[in-house]
Amino acid sequence: MMNPIGCHGLTFTDAFTAADFDTTARRIAAAGFDLYEVPLMDPWGFDAARGKQVLDDLGLASVVSVGHDGPTDISQEDPAQARAGEELLNQGLQQAHALGATMLTGVLYSSLKRYGKAVSAAGRSQSQQILGRIADRAADLGMDIGLEIVNRYETNVINSLGDAAAFAEEIGRPNVKLHIDTFHMNIEEVNLYDPVLAVADRIGYVHVSENTRGYLGSGRMDFDQFFRALAIIGYGGPLTFETFSASTLSADFAGLLAVWRNFYSDPDDLAAHAAQYMRDGLAHARSTSSVGPEQG
Ligand code: MN
C-alpha cells in the first residue's frame, strides 16, 4: 500500500492569504509531497473552491486542521464557548469538504494551551458530545475527523494514545480517528512502537517530527522503530511532516506554539529532505518488518 506523504503548511509560513496558499502549495509539491495539510488560519475567509482548483492543478491531496482559541473551547463548561467551538468545527468541516479533503483534524477537543487544572468530567463529556455531532456530519460527507494527541503542556484532555483511544471509544463513532504525532509521543509515551500497536485500528493520521522539530534524523527520535510499528500494523494513511521555526512564523503564532528558536533556515531544502526521509524509512520498514516483539 502507498501512504500519501504530506507536509504541514506551517513549515513555510503562517500567512494565509490566497497568494500564500498558492505559494505554499507550489513549494510543497516541488519538495516532492503528495499532500498539503492546510492549517485553516482563516476559517470564514478562505475560498476553498479556489483552493481546490490550485491543489488539483498540482496533483496534491489535502487534510485540513483547525484549532480552538480561548473563546471557542468545547472542553469548557461555558455555553457560549461550546457553541462557538461547535460553529468553528462545523465551518472547518465544510471548508475541508469544499477543498476536497477527506479529514478534518487537530486538537479539536479543547484549546491548545497549558491548562492550570485538570479537565472537568462535565467538560470532557461535553467535548465528546459535540465531537459526536461533528463526526455524524462528517460521515454524511464521507469524511473522518482526527483527534490530534498532544503533550501535557498543550492540552489537559488527552495526552497519550491509550487515553485518546478510550476517549474516541466513548464518542462511539467509527469515523473518529486518532491523529498521532512523534513530537508529542516522544514526551508522553514509553517508546514509539508499543503504543502504536496497541491502538492500531484507530490510527487515521500521522505527524512526523523530530524532537527538535528540525531535520528528520538530526535528533534523538527513533524513526526506525516508529516506521516499523506503522509497517507492522499495515497503516495505509498519510504521513505528514510537521515542523516550525521562529524564522518562518509570525511572533504571535510562534508564541502560541512556544517556538523561540530556529531549527532551519531553508524550508524548501528541509521539506525535500523530509519527504525523501519518510519514503525511504517506510520502504525500509516494509521490506524488513515482520510481526513480533520489539527488538531494542
Ligand atoms: Mn502535530
Side-chain angles (χ1 to χ4, degrees), residues 148 179 181 184 207 213 242:
E148 182 167 13
H179 166 171
D181 181 318
H184 302 288
H207 274 169
R213 292 202 186 275
E242 180 184 43

Short mmCIF file of all heavy atoms in Angstrom, two decimals, residues 148 179 181 184 207 213 242, ligand 1:
data_model
loop_
_atom_site.label_atom_id
_atom_site.label_comp_id
_atom_site.label_asym_id
_atom_site.label_seq_id
_atom_site.Cartn_x
_atom_site.Cartn_y
_atom_site.Cartn_z
N GLU A 148 -5.99 14.99 17.35
CA GLU A 148 -4.53 15.03 17.49
C GLU A 148 -4.15 14.96 18.96
O GLU A 148 -4.63 15.74 19.78
CB GLU A 148 -3.92 16.27 16.86
CG GLU A 148 -2.39 16.22 17.00
CD GLU A 148 -1.62 17.23 16.17
OE1 GLU A 148 -2.24 18.16 15.64
OE2 GLU A 148 -0.39 17.06 16.09
N HIS A 179 -5.06 10.87 15.62
CA HIS A 179 -4.01 11.56 14.88
C HIS A 179 -2.79 11.58 15.81
O HIS A 179 -2.80 12.28 16.82
CB HIS A 179 -4.53 12.96 14.52
CG HIS A 179 -3.50 13.93 14.05
ND1 HIS A 179 -3.83 15.16 13.53
CD2 HIS A 179 -2.15 13.88 14.03
CE1 HIS A 179 -2.74 15.82 13.21
NE2 HIS A 179 -1.70 15.07 13.51
N ASP A 181 1.40 11.87 16.74
CA ASP A 181 2.46 12.82 16.39
C ASP A 181 3.71 12.43 17.17
O ASP A 181 3.68 12.37 18.41
CB ASP A 181 1.97 14.23 16.76
CG ASP A 181 2.97 15.32 16.44
OD1 ASP A 181 4.17 15.12 16.69
OD2 ASP A 181 2.54 16.39 15.97
N HIS A 184 4.98 14.68 20.16
CA HIS A 184 4.26 14.56 21.42
C HIS A 184 4.46 13.18 22.04
O HIS A 184 4.59 13.06 23.27
CB HIS A 184 2.77 14.87 21.21
CG HIS A 184 2.56 16.24 20.65
ND1 HIS A 184 2.73 17.38 21.40
CD2 HIS A 184 2.23 16.66 19.40
CE1 HIS A 184 2.51 18.45 20.64
NE2 HIS A 184 2.19 18.03 19.42
N HIS A 207 1.56 12.64 12.22
CA HIS A 207 2.54 13.71 12.07
C HIS A 207 3.92 13.17 12.40
O HIS A 207 4.10 12.53 13.44
CB HIS A 207 2.25 14.87 13.03
CG HIS A 207 1.28 15.87 12.50
ND1 HIS A 207 0.73 16.85 13.29
CD2 HIS A 207 0.80 16.06 11.24
CE1 HIS A 207 -0.07 17.60 12.53
NE2 HIS A 207 -0.05 17.13 11.30
N ARG A 213 12.07 19.39 16.18
CA ARG A 213 11.31 19.86 15.03
C ARG A 213 12.22 20.37 13.92
O ARG A 213 11.81 21.14 13.07
CB ARG A 213 10.24 20.90 15.39
CG ARG A 213 9.10 20.34 16.24
CD ARG A 213 7.87 21.22 16.11
NE ARG A 213 6.75 20.88 16.97
CZ ARG A 213 5.83 19.96 16.68
NH1 ARG A 213 5.91 19.27 15.56
NH2 ARG A 213 4.82 19.75 17.50
N GLU A 242 5.74 17.68 9.98
CA GLU A 242 5.31 18.91 10.66
C GLU A 242 6.49 19.52 11.38
O GLU A 242 7.15 18.87 12.18
CB GLU A 242 4.20 18.62 11.67
CG GLU A 242 3.74 19.89 12.38
CD GLU A 242 2.71 19.63 13.46
OE1 GLU A 242 2.89 18.67 14.24
OE2 GLU A 242 1.74 20.37 13.54
MN MN B 1 1.28 17.72 15.18
#
